[in-house]
């Protein structure tokens, strides 16, 4: 039986990266070698240049790591509970290469060199663990929860000249990060100094948080490539472990919508790296609003969010690739297999120079981590709800994000799956990620480091350890907290701000951060998306098109309708209309009015087929679009991929429709006229296709989009000018007809078959004459205008989603 103090030490050791994989029964004897230490805020635990004889594990509190570069002192990292520092001096017996200062009152566990050596002899696995840590540091893979000390990656004294940086092993500085391009950037000597040049990388090179193409380097400049921070001085390029990923500070976040409705009311929070945070509360309390404000998906209207002390909203470019975001809706296409889902996500998110072998390696790693290897070739729609959610998480893990947001990932899962999902999130947090999850289930809240309770009106009712929440609210069960928050609507925020929990869990954490005044007076807002990445739009278009084609090919019902509808309609037309309706006179069997009806039916048929197919294209994947847009998706190639693939099917539909009809009905003018008629149908097709995409971009589900398309197409039937000649309708109807695609399509088709000459010969009064007597180029321009206008509208509608 071990006493409470030893039990506490064992718990601390298990949270550290050194002992996280050790069996619990081996730790009590190890714990006795560590000496507990209490340090006050401002105390220097390690000083740069001093000899180091002790390493430390943080039990509680927060520490700042600083190093000297030339004449500048650079802030390198912040460390929290579970982090290890000082280990390199113990192993190498070299002087400390960084200064570690306590930001808060803190508790440490210290291990001297001689005790470490004794333990390593008794427990060889300790030496193996520390050896692995050292190896990972030297390979620059970046284990985020460690404060491994300074490593000079390149010395200009020993190796003057250019320094290449990138993912490929042939670079001078190799950065094995999936977000880094193969040859990412180069540091070049110029005019007695050095400059860094980005080599058209996919995800960019940042100097002091500004994206650069080419820029002179100054002493102490921070270079951020992927998830790796490098520091420049005139002697070389240095790397420090960032130690703890990303700390998130939210200061007075407020979100108002509509006519002053408050969804988030002055919420302040602070999350440490490696923490698992649960956001809970009743429906409509602002949980998703808070998460969207923290992630930047929908920024707060007031207040600001800091990532590692940097204004996140003003530096979205820097951090967007460090984020994973899994919304309530699945962000995967159900028609694709698990492997295909991850493959296309990798093609869109990873640098375009990532080859298939590298992508396959990442996919295998993700599938193994999520226990999905056996479901690799299974369609997403055929896996269980829990597995489907894990696939969504896998999409995000491809880029090894430092921050993970998940909106109700356990919704709809049974208690067993719910528990397994929370265990997975705990594992992700233990790897050094900051994990923020919204949940309604309180069964597994105790697994979290901190819990956020939201009350009505977007008030923060509590933030702190789960056990403290029960004490704070004076209850024994989390479900009772919900009842309290429902019974008393107002005053929760004020009560919490006056509590010691607010002082300890929010105010003290925020005070660690030196908050500089903001030029915008503290207003939130969305950072600029332009220039967010240099992803090649053409390659995005290619992979989006390939993925969309694959999706359509696997959606058998929709594919069947697309392929069969046109022939069925064509056969019906062939049965209704006589062969000679386009003959010049009655005596030859001609009937020009029937000819007008056939041309109109052809135009309307291709319009309906195209618009209906396009109506679902965007609306049914809004969650996927929103997530990919937040990473690097460009709107134009996205919309163009829909136009391209659906356009190919539409071209085939028009060809089948016209081919079958022309086999039964003689089209005057032979193949030359037939080709023109086909061209007119193609233009009609494209205009209707763009209209369907516009509707799809304005809506959020396929059924809604389809119903709106029906409403929009009904006037096309009545105002197209075929049922009643436009010369016989009133001015209002005639004005409305100007906005009908079918009117101009009919006019162009009628012009090509010279329908006016036939009408004049067969009817004493040609009421249709004015509809077919304009230069056909005018009709073509108008139809193209419909296409361009609707396409621009769809792009604008999607762009509007960025600023809502």
């Amino acid at each position: 039986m071990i006493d409470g103090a030893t039990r506490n030490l064992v718990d601390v050791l298990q949270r550290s990266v050194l002992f996280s994989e050790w069996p619990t029964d081996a730790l009590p004897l190890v714990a006795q070698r560590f000496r507990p230490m209490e340090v006050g805020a401002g105390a220097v635990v390690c000083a740069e240049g001093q000899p180091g004889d002790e390493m430390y594990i943080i039990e509680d509190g927060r520490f700042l790591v600083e190093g000297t570069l030339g004449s500048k002192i650079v802030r390198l990292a912040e460390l929290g509970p579970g982090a290890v520092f000082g280990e390199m001096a113990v192993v190498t017996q070299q002087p400390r290469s960084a200064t570690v200062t306590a930001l808060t009152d803190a508790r440490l566990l210290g291990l001297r060199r001689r005790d470490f050596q004794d333990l390593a002899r008794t427990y060889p696995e300790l030496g193996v663990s520390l050896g692995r840590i050292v190896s990972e540091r030297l390979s620059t893979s970046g284990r985020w929860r460690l404060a491994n000390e300074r490593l000079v990656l390149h010395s200009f004294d020993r190796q003057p000249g250019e320094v290449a940086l990138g993912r490929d092993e042939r670079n001078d500085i190799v950065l094995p990060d999936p977000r880094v391009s193969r040859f990412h950037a180069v540091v070049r000597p110029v005019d007695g100094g050095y400059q860094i040049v980005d080599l058209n990388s996919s995800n960019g090179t940042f100097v002091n948080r500004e994206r650069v193409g080419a820029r002179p380097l100054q002493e102490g400049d921070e270079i951020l490539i992927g998830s790796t921070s490098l520091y420049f001085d005139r002697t070389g390029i240095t790397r420090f472990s960032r130690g703890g990923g990303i700390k998130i500070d939210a200061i007075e976040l407020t979100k108002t919508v509509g006519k002053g409705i408050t969804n988030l009311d002055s919420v302040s929070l602070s999350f440490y790296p490696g923490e698992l945070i649960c956001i809970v509360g009743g429906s409509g309390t602002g949980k998703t609003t808070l998460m969207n404000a923290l992630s930047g998906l929908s920024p707060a209207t007031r207040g600001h969010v800091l990532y590692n002390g940097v204004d996140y909203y003003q530096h979205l470019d820097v951090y967007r690739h460090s984020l994973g975001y899994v919304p309530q809706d699945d962000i995967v296409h159900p028609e694709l297999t698990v492997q295909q889902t991850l493959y296309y996500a990798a093609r869109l998110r990873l640098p375009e120079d990532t080859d298939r072998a590298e992508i396959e390696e990442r996919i295998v790693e993700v599938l193994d981590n999520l226990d999905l290897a056996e479901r690799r070739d299974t369609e997403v729609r055929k896996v269980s709800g829990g597995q489907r959610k894990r696939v969504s998480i896998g999409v995000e893990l491809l880029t090894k994000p430092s921050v993970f947001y998940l909106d109700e990932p356990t919704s709809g899962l049974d208690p067993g799956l719910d528990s397994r999902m929370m265990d997975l999130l705990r594992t992700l947090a233990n790897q050094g990620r900051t994990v923020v999850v919204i949940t309604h289930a309180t069964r597994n809240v105790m697994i979290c480091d901190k819990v956020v309770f939201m009350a009505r009106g977007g008030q923060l009712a509590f933030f702190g350890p789960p056990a403290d929440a029960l004490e704070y609210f004076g209850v024994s069960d989390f479900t009772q907290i919900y009842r309290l928050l429902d019974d008393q609507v107002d005053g929760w925020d004020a009560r919490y701000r006056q509590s010691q929990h607010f002082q300890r869990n929010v105010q003290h954490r925020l005070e660690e951060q030196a908050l500089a005044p903001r030029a915008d007076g503290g207003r939130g807002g969305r950072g600029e998306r332009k220039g967010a990445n240099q992803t090649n739009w053409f390659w995005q278009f290619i992979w989006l098109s390939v993925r969309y084609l694959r999706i359509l090919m696997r959606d058998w019902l929709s594919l069947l309708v697309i392929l069969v509808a046109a022939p069925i309609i064509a056969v019906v037309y062939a049965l209704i209309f006589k062969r000679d309706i386009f003959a010049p006179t009655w005596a030859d069997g001609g009937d020009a009015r029937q000819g007008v009806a056939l041309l109109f039916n052809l135009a309307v048929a291709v319009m309906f087929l195209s618009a209906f197919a396009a109506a679902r294209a965007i609306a049914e994947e809004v969650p996927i679009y929103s997530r990919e847009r937040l990473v690097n998706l460009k709107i134009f190639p996205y919309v163009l991929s829909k136009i391209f693939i659906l356009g190919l099917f539409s071209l085939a539909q028009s060809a089948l429709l016209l081919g079958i009809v022309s086999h039964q009905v003689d089209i005057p003018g032979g193949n030359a006229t037939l080709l023109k008629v086909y061209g007119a149908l193609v233009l009609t097709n494209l205009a209707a296709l763009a209209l369907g995409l516009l509707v799809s971009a304005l809506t959020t589900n396929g059924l809604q989009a389809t119903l709106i398309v029906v409403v929009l197409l009904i006037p096309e039937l009545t105002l197209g000018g075929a049922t009643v000649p436009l010369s016989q309708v009133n001015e209002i109807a005639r004005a409305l007809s100007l906005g009908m695609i079918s009117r101009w399509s009919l006019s162009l088709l009628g012009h090509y078959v010279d329908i006016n000459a036939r009408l004049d010969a067969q009817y004493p009064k040609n009421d249709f004459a004015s509809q077919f007597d304009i230069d056909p180029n005018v009709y073509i321009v108008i139809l193209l205008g419909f296409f361009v206008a609707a396409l621009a509208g769809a792009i604008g509608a999607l762009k509007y989603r960025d600023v809502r």
Side-chain angles (χ1 to χ4, degrees), residues 231-281:
Y231 292 88
F232 169 85
D233 69 352
R234 294 186 178 276
T235 65
I237 297 175
T238 301
R239 179 180 182 271
F240 296 79
S241 170
R242 297 288 293 182
I246 293 177
K247 182 191 178 196
I248 302 172
D249 295 302
I251 297 95
E252 300 295 329
L253 294 184
T254 299
K255 180 75 171 182
T256 56
V257 296
K259 297 181 179 179
I261 299 174
T262 300
N263 288 341
L264 209 59
D265 190 2
S266 298
V267 173
S268 294
L269 295 163
S270 182
F271 304 155
Y272 284 158
E275 285 188 330
L276 173 59
I277 311 292
C278 278
I279 302 177
V280 296

Side-chain angles (χ1 to χ4, degrees), residues 455-456 459-461 472 488-497:
R456 291 184 187 177
Q459 298 179 71
L460 176 62
Y472 175 76
Q488 179 182 334
V489 177
D490 297 320
W492 288 109
D493 176 70
R495 176 188 171 188
Y496 177 65
R497 286 177 180 268

Side-chain angles (χ1 to χ4, degrees), residues 693-724:
L693 285 178
L694 172 58
V695 172
S696 193
L698 289 169
T699 52
T700 55
N701 65 74
L703 178 60
Q704 186 183 69
T706 303
L707 292 175
I708 293 175
V709 164
V710 170
V711 173
L712 291 177
L713 289 180
I714 288 175
E716 298 282 355
L717 296 173
T718 57
L719 295 172
T723 306
V724 179

